[in-house]
Amino acid sequence: MGLSGFHLENEKAGNTLLCALQHALQSYLDEKPTRSLNGLSKKCTVSEPTLRRILRGHIKTLPTATTILDILTTLTGEKNTSHLAQRFPGPIADYLNSILPQTQDVATEYSSDLNNELKDPVKYIIYKISSNSSGAHKQKILELFGRHGLQVAEALILKNYLTLENEIYFSKVKNFTINQENFIANFKLVADFIKTQNPLAKTSLQSLLANYSESISIEAYKEIIQVQRKALQKIRTIMSDDNSKGPIPLFLLLAIDTLDPQSAHELQPSKASTNSPLNN
């Protein structure tokens, strides 16, 4: 995403963020004189030319959220996104808080390696349902994806992302964060599981609650965003309550968008929603 992706009030704020990122990189290299830019590039999977442009202040647009997270987690070794924001007070913390789901009861983790691993949609869904409190039963994985699903789960175990306990898979990280591109691509597979008919009773299901479209004013758009936020807070409270825990894996996606890219930029609220698409 460019500067527009950071819901900035003005271009000056974007430049301040780039300067802070430049300072963080330079401080790391000053403190570790034996670490080369090439070595850092390989460690954080960000190209050396991109790192060099940031260091020299020659970058004109904000790097993607994934690039920034890859750099910061590599510089600090910190995967907890709340703690990561605390390590960089100021423009970087403001940016992280705007793109990451920050709730008082849940600490999310970002891992570049896990993010790359979950580019595969089947891996994503298996890991995601394994991160639920009830985990993912081996038989359910077999029903959903056949033997290929079991092979994927075993591969994730070998890479130390999953564990298998009494025929149930559990993820090592319960509240994880991936980038928006991965989330959108993976959720397309989740959408394939949406059911509109009950296969047993042959009756209609209300899985798709709404599919609305209309041309509206900026004021109406902002009002809808506020309603969304309040609804998400209530839903989050219910889902986080220990009394709500059970065997049903629930997928929830709440989004609003427009077909006009320029309008989408202009209509973005100044603050991100309480649960960003970067969430798991």
Side-chain angles (χ1 to χ4, degrees):
M1 70 178 73
L3 291 180
S4 62
F6 175 30
H7 315 323
L8 295 170
E9 297 297 332
N10 50 57
E11 187 174 345
K12 182 179 179 181
N15 292 333
T16 302
L17 174 59
L18 289 172
C19 288
L21 191 60
Q22 177 186 21
H23 176 74
L25 263 176
Q26 189 61 62
S27 296
Y28 174 85
L29 293 173
D30 289 343
E31 294 171 3
K32 299 182 182 297
T34 59
R35 173 74 69 182
S36 67
L37 203 60
N38 179 262
L40 179 61
S41 170
K42 292 178 179 178
K43 190 174 181 181
C44 69
T45 66
V46 176
S47 72
E48 185 176 352
T50 296
L51 293 177
R52 197 173 302 281
R53 286 196 296 272
I54 293 174
L55 272 174
R56 293 176 176 175
H58 292 168
I59 192 165
K60 300 300 181 182
T61 59
L62 200 64
T64 64
T66 303
T67 296
I68 293 177
L69 284 167
D70 284 342
I71 292 173
L72 295 176
T73 53
T74 301
L75 296 185
T76 61
E78 179 62 70
K79 294 182 179 180
N80 183 297
T81 54
S82 296
H83 296 167
L84 189 63
Q86 294 170 9
R87 296 282 290 270
F88 297 97
I92 291 178
D94 291 342
Y95 173 75
L96 292 177
N97 289 331
S98 78
I99 65 168
L100 294 170
Q102 303 294 335
T103 58
Q104 292 181 351
D105 58 328
V106 174
T108 59
E109 291 191 16
Y110 174 84
S111 165
S112 175
D113 292 337
L114 180 60
N115 186 68
N116 290 328
E117 196 74 34
L118 298 185
K119 287 180 179 179
D120 180 277
V122 175
K123 286 184 179 179
Y124 168 76
I125 292 185
I126 290 176
Y127 190 87
K128 178 157 177 53
I129 61 178
S130 298
S131 69
N132 294 338
S133 57
S134 298
H137 199 283
K138 200 171 184 177
Q139 183 61 35
K140 175 57 67 176
I141 299 300
L142 186 62
E143 291 173 6
L144 292 174
F145 303 109
R147 296 205 60 81
H148 173 66
L150 296 181
Q151 292 170 356
V152 167
E154 289 303 313
L156 290 171
I157 288 176
L158 290 175
K159 292 190 175 182
N160 204 33
Y161 291 123
L162 293 183
T163 61
L164 181 61
E165 305 172 18
N166 299 320
E167 299 293 291
I168 299 177
Y169 295 105
F170 291 97
S171 67
K172 290 294 187 71
V173 178
K174 299 300 180 184
N175 301 293
F176 62 97
T177 293
I178 64 173
N179 68 31
Q180 292 181 357
E181 291 78 11
N182 278 3
F183 177 86
I184 293 171
N186 290 331
F187 207 88
K188 292 174 182 176
L189 179 58
V190 178
D192 289 339
F193 290 100
I194 295 177
K195 297 169 290 297
T196 58
Q197 292 287 327
N198 186 329
L200 299 178
K202 304 299 182 182
T203 56
S204 298
L205 296 175
Q206 297 299 316
S207 302
L208 286 172
L209 297 180
N211 180 18
Y212 298 147
S213 64
E214 183 56 276
S215 54
I216 61 176
S217 66
I218 292 178
E219 290 73 18
Y221 179 91
K222 291 180 177 179
E223 185 176 353
I224 291 172
I225 291 292
Q226 293 301 320
V227 172
Q228 273 191 323
R229 287 178 175 170
K230 291 178 180 179
L232 279 172
Q233 289 172 354
K234 291 182 178 180
I235 292 170
R236 180 64 193 169
T237 299
I238 295 172
M239 294 177 69
S240 301
D241 193 321
D242 288 339
N243 294 324
S244 299
K245 304 304 181 185
I248 303 173
L250 173 71
F251 283 76
L252 174 70
L253 172 64
L254 185 57
I256 288 181
D257 208 343
T258 170
L259 300 179
D260 183 357
Q262 182 60 32
S263 295
H265 166 50
E266 293 175 352
L267 291 172
Q268 280 293 339
S270 58
K271 295 182 180 179
S273 65
T274 56
N275 219 354
S276 158
L278 281 162
N279 196 15
N280 66 343

